[in-house]
Amino acid sequence: MTGFLEALRTVPRVDAAQWEQLSLPTRWAVAARASVLLMTFTSAALGGLLALREPGFDAVLWVLALVGLLAAHATNNLINDYVDSARGVDRDNYYRARYGTHVLENGLLSRRAMLGYIVATAAVALAAGAAVVWLRGELSVPLMLAGAFFVLFYTWPLKYLGLGEPAVLAVWGPLMTGGAYYVACGAWSWPVALLGTVYALGPTTVIFGKHIDKLPADAAKGIRTLPVILGDRQARLWVMGMIILEFLLVGALVLANEFAWTLLLVLLNVPAARKTIEVLGAPKPAERPADYPDEIWPLWFAHHAFVLNRRFSLLFLAGLLSGLLLG
């Protein structure tokens, strides 16, 4: 039986009978694909940790920023499924309906009920954002407006114009990490925004991987993601390059004395990165390998990128926190 914690860990497959047994929070977590919110938590946590030692640090404002960012990401996921379903994109066994649970395409929620989920989640994001604007003001206003823009327009038209992947890099980097830092301590920092962008390369590889997995289906439906524009081989090379670039930029930031040497803990992820690059260097299997989780297939590159990014995230946070503790 799927529980709330399971829905935070993965995107479970739930049938109608199981859906009826789920609590409302668990239903929301399944519908909002809450497992990917870890990436948003990490971006906000990076900003909070870096602001922790600043004289103007405000824990309450950081928590408000965190709640707002998590709710905004969840709102985007819900809108993405609602819009793509309404436009007919997710019909006829399309990729999104084949991995995890699509609550609309699987008939678990009506469109009206899905709108209720969207409105309730967006209300949390707006309430947290309004509180931040009221208490912090100034730069928090354009930051909130930029976030709202990406929430509303990522699904359409940005994703259809090859701008979805750059949007992920901008949002999970300077917008989230730099924004969380600013809200927490009241000052903007370009080194913090740059560090956030280094981390954001990870989430960008995940979305790139998912769009490579979906490339034939997206191309057939006229969804011009960057992998559709670049082609399969070039898109996989881009992901390999971003994985390598993460490590190079971390090394450059440490050598420039912008951040503590403990950030080099991410180098422990090099063996896993090498294996992921090997996966990216080969075509996707035509059939699910026997040892590959059935609930994840037909995602392949996205899953490998997600697992790698999850490990990188933990090491990134551990390295940053260790540096702060060591002074």
Side-chain angles (χ1 to χ4, degrees), residues 36-52 57-59 61-71 73 171-185 192 195-197 199-200 203 313 316-317 320 324:
V36 298
L37 299 185
L38 172 65
M39 295 184 291
T40 294
F41 175 84
T42 304
S43 286
L46 287 172
L49 283 174
L50 291 167
L52 191 60
F57 177 75
D58 189 317
L61 278 172
W62 176 76
V63 170
L64 284 171
L66 173 64
V67 170
L69 290 171
L70 290 172
H73 185 183
V171 169
W172 269 265
L175 190 58
M176 284 193 181
T177 301
Y181 177 89
Y182 170 78
V183 169
C185 70
V192 170
L195 185 73
T197 304
Y199 167 73
S313 299
F316 206 66
L317 285 172
L320 188 61
L324 293 172

Side-chain angles (χ1 to χ4, degrees), residues 33 71-81 150-152 154-155:
R33 287 176 276 151
H73 185 183
T75 300
N76 177 261
N77 287 347
L78 292 165
I79 290 176
N80 186 64
D81 281 355
F150 287 114
V151 167
L152 293 174
Y154 168 81
T155 302

